[in-house]
């Protein structure tokens, strides 16, 4: 099938590359010339394991352009995957989705049938709105009734760092549409994934015991809601374990043991029960805020989601309080922060707990040093007006420091020589904000070890 994808961010690019891999002809559209220039040189603008390699593999089936009209004219499926940034009210801003829909509608050709898929995470009701926007443009072109455009919602569930795996081996594919015709076209589009008939990329073998993913077909409003509810639930799950972690500290329990003990109950499940500094990234903060704003708009407060956000903010504050207590104040202390990305496996620092903690420490007049294996450049940009010393070598970062904060669970931090780190510090305090290290080992190496929810 011929597919045009508007927006080559995380979602658009990953989707495009994977659809090309399973045999479709894909054109990715973006307005950012710098991004297009990179992509045309087969370089990925984002750090996502395997993406660049796969881009090279599918090069004869994928193209990149800024020309929406030309790309959509002969497409069978057009996907909108542009950003929906937060407004000051927390609502997701639909502006770019609408603009994209308008541009798409300008390029559609008479006598053809199209399925227009909304992949962006959009406020509930947006699919309806897009139908209206497209109709208006077609009417203004005098082509109403001559072009068939069916709008469908197809939310994505990609996690950064595992986006390709999530795309090739999804838990489910959700399609929300009013008419069975568009569902059938999307079923065809995803058939190689639904039936797992593609040859897996060599670096991404099919997971053992992986079952064929179900195609969930529903109405557009429910599909839009599925995306928000999934992210809000996961954010709540993490906040729940973080809240329990705080109580574990008060009573002397170990939250990692508690998580193991409750996670084995299949009704609860073991994942997303890692206590730490809380969640960040481009989805959970934005989507929970949008859901709350939607509730407010409809006089239906979402109390659990609100509480999840509060607990998440508190997690950062508690970490700084712990340092203050242990160091008897952080003013003038040298604090080394290990990890800037919002989670390991990505260079994304959006809403990163680490950056929040750095800002809190700077407010309290600590001197901050920072390190990350891949996210240093992005963190420099995000913290450009802040007084932070970026250091390439964790051992140099620890030298003379009063405390270390391990803020991102990068596997390489597990390999650090703790003895060597502790030895050069002024006071060997280690706040393990991700419970990454073995407390006994850290103590043996000479650290005053502070975990989250464990002793
Ligand atoms: C998330 C969803 O998982 C994905 O389905 C959705 O489409 C987009 O948002 P992502 O933001 O890439 O994906 O990251 P995810 O792996 O979900 O982690 C989010 C945050 O939660 C990270 O800051 C992570 O460190 C934190 N986290 C996760 C925890 O603190 N504890 C956990 O147990 C799991």
């Amino acid at each position: 099938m011929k597919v045009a994808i508007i927006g080559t961010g995380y979602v658009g690019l990953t989707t495009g590359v994977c659809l090309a891999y399973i045999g479709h002809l894909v054109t990715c559209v973006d307005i950012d010339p710098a991004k297009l220039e990179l992509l045309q040189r087969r370089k990925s603008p984002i750090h996502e394991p395997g993406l660049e390699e796969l881009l090279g593999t599918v090069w004869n089936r994928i193209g990149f352009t800024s020309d929406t009209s030309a790309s959509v004219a002969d497409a069978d499926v057009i996907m909108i995957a542009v950003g929906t940034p937060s407004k000051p009210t927390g609502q997701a801003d639909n502006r770019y989705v609408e603009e994209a829909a308008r541009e798409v509608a300008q390029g559609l050709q008479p006598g053809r049938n199209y399925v227009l898929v909304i992949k962006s995470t959009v406020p509930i009701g947006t699919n309806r709105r897009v139908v209206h926007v497209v109709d208006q443009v077609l009417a203004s072109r005098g082509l109403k009734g001559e072009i068939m455009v069916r709008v469908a919602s197809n939310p994505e569930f990609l996690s950064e760092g595992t986006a390709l795996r999530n795309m090739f081996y999804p838990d489910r594919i959700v399609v929300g549409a009013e008419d069975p015709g568009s569902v059938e076209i999307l079923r065809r589009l995803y058939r190689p994934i639904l039936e797992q008939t593609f040859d897996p990329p060599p670096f991404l073998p099919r997971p053992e015991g992986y079952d064929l993913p179900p195609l969930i077909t529903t109405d557009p409003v429910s599909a839009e809601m599925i995306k928000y509810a999934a992210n809000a639930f996961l954010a709540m799950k993490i906040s729940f374990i973080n809240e329990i972690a705080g109580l574990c500290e008060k009573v002397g329990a170990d939250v990692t043991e508690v998580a193991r003990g409750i996670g084995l109950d299949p009704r609860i499940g073991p994942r997303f029960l890692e206590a730490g500094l809380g969640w960040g990234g481009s989805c959970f903060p934005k989507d929970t805020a949008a859901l709350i704003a939607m509730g407010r708009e409809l006089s239906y407060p979402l109390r659990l989601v609100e509480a999840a956000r509060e607990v998440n903010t508190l997690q950062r504050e508690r970490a700084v309080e712990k340092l203050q207590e242990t160091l008897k104040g952080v003013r003038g202390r040298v604090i080394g922060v290990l990890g800037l990305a919002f989670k390991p496996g990505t260079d994304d620092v959006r809403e990163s707990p680490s950056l929040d903690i750095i800002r809190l420490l700077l407010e309290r007049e600590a001197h901050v040093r920072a390190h990350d294996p891949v996210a240093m450049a992005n963190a420099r940009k995000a913290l450009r007006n802040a007084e932070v010393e970026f250091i390439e070598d964790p051992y140099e970062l620890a030298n003379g420091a009063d405390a270390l904060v391990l803020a991102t669970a990068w596997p390489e931090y597990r390999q650090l020589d703790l003895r060597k780190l502790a030895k050069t510090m002024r006071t060997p305090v280690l706040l393990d904000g991700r419970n990454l290290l073995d407390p006994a080992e850290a103590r043996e190496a000479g650290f005053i070890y502070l975990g989250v929810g464990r002793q």
Side-chain angles (χ1 to χ4, degrees), residues 276-345:
L277 302 175
W279 36 268
S282 63
C283 289
F284 291 171
K286 183 166 93 68
D287 294 351
T288 50
L291 203 55
I292 289 169
M294 250 179 289
R296 203 175 300 129
E297 199 180 292
L298 300 162
S299 306
Y300 187 80
L302 291 158
R303 300 188 202 288
L304 287 173
V305 188
E306 279 170 12
R309 284 178 64 88
E310 259 168 56
V311 169
N312 199 46
T313 305
L314 273 177
Q315 257 349 70
R316 277 86 151 152
E317 291 167 4
R318 284 214 186 96
V320 173
E321 271 164 33
K322 266 186 208 166
L323 286 175
Q324 299 212 112
E325 269 167 39
T326 314
L327 297 171
K328 308 288 172 233
V330 295
R331 178 166 296 110
R333 305 272 190 214
V334 179
I335 317 276
V337 176
L338 290 168
L340 298 162
F342 82 95
K343 68 173 191 182

Side-chain angles (χ1 to χ4, degrees), residues 118-173:
I118 310 296
K119 264 216 168 287
S120 307
T121 301
V122 289
I124 316 284
T126 299
N127 274 255
R128 262 192 321 252
R129 170 97 188 137
V130 167
V131 171
H132 181 71
V133 166
V134 170
D135 276 354
Q136 267 184 329
V137 175
L138 296 186
S140 74
R141 291 175 64 201
L143 291 172
K144 216 170 166 194
E146 289 183 47
I147 305 176
M148 175 146 84
V149 187
R150 291 177 286 199
V151 177
S153 163
N154 172 218
E156 49 76 29
F157 303 97
L158 307 179
S159 289
E160 294 188 19
T162 58
L164 294 179
R165 199 184 323 148
N166 300 142
M167 185 72 200
F168 284 123
Y169 312 115
D171 306 311
R172 76 296 206 192
I173 294 178

